[in-house]
Amino acid sequence: MKKAIIVDDEPLARMVVKEYLQNHPSITVMQECNDGFEGMKAIMQHQPDVIFLDIQMPKINGFEMLELVEQPPAVIFTTAFDEYAIKAFESHAVDYLLKPFSQERFDKAIERLTKRDTAVASNNTRDLLDTAAQGPQQNQRIVVKTGNKIKIIPIDEVHYLEAADDYVKIHTKEGAFLKNKTMGHFEKVLNPDQFVRTHRSYMVNVQLVTRIDPYEKESYLAQLKTGAQVPVSKNGYARLKTVLGI
């Protein structure tokens, strides 16, 4: 038996998936969720083998929801998301079903699921998130989990980023928040004209830089409008000067 969760803000869409699943008694629906917040909680509670997931939902989208789950399950997308955009994720998801989809097309997705090892599918989900994060819609904000709460940070409100072991510390006016990503990830997905890797452990929002002061041999400190000081290496200094046009 496989455990499943349906996450979609459209009741009719959830009903269609449940109806189609009647042909697959080996899959049990543990819970239906109408947004990403509910979906995240349901995944943590039920530890499903697969989720049937919409992408475009209110509050947080499907990709952002998956990012907040430590061990994301296999994913079958059930979405009206543009077919050409979703092609980029096709190699990582178990399958994607473009609404409206038929029973026959749904059955093919289930067939792909049953042929795929659960652990491999879970790893593919993580690869999927790395691919999705590079899309233009995914780099306008950062979604983090603090305890049982979810916080959405618009990218313009980020002052700087700091490496912290297996996490990145995101500094804002409201404090610092941890995200289970790497500095390399943010260097790839954030706008390079706005965020510059000034040091192996730091990225800075260049809009907040007021001046760059010498510090030690071949190193500097970027002074921010907020009063914070961000280390700048020799290479980071060159990158920062290029972006600032100095």
Side-chain angles (χ1 to χ4, degrees), residues 42-63:
I43 291 170
M44 291 190 295
Q45 179 182 352
H46 299 291
Q47 300 294 307
D49 300 295
V50 61
I51 55 175
F52 297 90
L53 178 65
D54 191 12
I55 295 175
Q56 294 171 310
M57 296 183 291
K59 299 179 181 177
I60 59 174
N61 64 38
F63 296 132

Side-chain angles (χ1 to χ4, degrees), residues 134-219:
Q134 298 179 46
Q137 292 185 334
Q138 291 301 110
N139 57 19
Q140 298 304 308
R141 62 188 193 175
I142 300 173
V143 179
V144 297
K145 184 170 63 173
T146 58
N148 294 323
K149 296 182 179 179
I150 295 172
K151 181 170 180 58
I152 298 172
I153 307 170
I155 205 65
D156 289 338
E157 294 183 8
V158 176
H159 296 169
Y160 65 97
L161 295 89
E162 177 185 4
D165 295 325
D166 295 331
Y167 293 81
V168 170
K169 190 178 292 186
I170 301 157
H171 293 266
T172 73
K173 65 179 180 180
E174 296 181 24
F177 302 90
L178 290 175
K179 181 77 172 179
N180 190 9
K181 291 289 184 182
T182 65
M183 293 295 288
H185 164 82
F186 283 109
E187 193 172 18
K188 284 192 294 186
V189 304
L190 295 180
N191 181 354
D193 293 327
Q194 183 177 1
F195 286 88
V196 174
R197 183 87 174 259
T198 61
H199 183 279
R200 66 180 182 180
S201 298
Y202 290 87
M203 288 184 71
V204 67
N205 184 342
V206 297
Q207 296 173 352
L208 298 178
V209 175
T210 58
R211 69 177 192 269
I212 308 171
D213 295 333
Y215 182 52
E216 295 177 343
K217 185 179 179 181
E218 295 188 332
S219 68

Side-chain angles (χ1 to χ4, degrees), residues 81-93 96 105 131:
F81 199 82
D82 180 77
E83 181 177 6
Y84 295 99
I86 203 68
K87 286 287 187 182
F89 318 130
E90 186 177 14
S91 61
H92 301 307
Y96 76 91
R105 180 65 185 86
T131 302

Side-chain angles (χ1 to χ4, degrees), residues 5-8 33-44 48 50-55 57-75 77 125 129 138 141 143-145 150 179:
I5 287 174
I6 304 171
V7 187
D8 198 312
C33 308
N34 59 23
D35 61 50
F37 290 120
E38 287 186 11
M40 186 192 70
K41 293 177 182 177
I43 291 170
M44 291 190 295
V50 61
I51 55 175
F52 297 90
L53 178 65
D54 191 12
I55 295 175
M57 296 183 291
K59 299 179 181 177
I60 59 174
N61 64 38
F63 296 132
E64 291 167 336
M65 183 204 78
L66 289 174
E67 278 193 347
L68 300 174
V69 179
E70 289 186 11
Q71 295 294 329
V75 177
F77 286 117
T125 300
L129 292 176
Q138 291 301 110
R141 62 188 193 175
V143 179
V144 297
K145 184 170 63 173
I150 295 172
K179 181 77 172 179

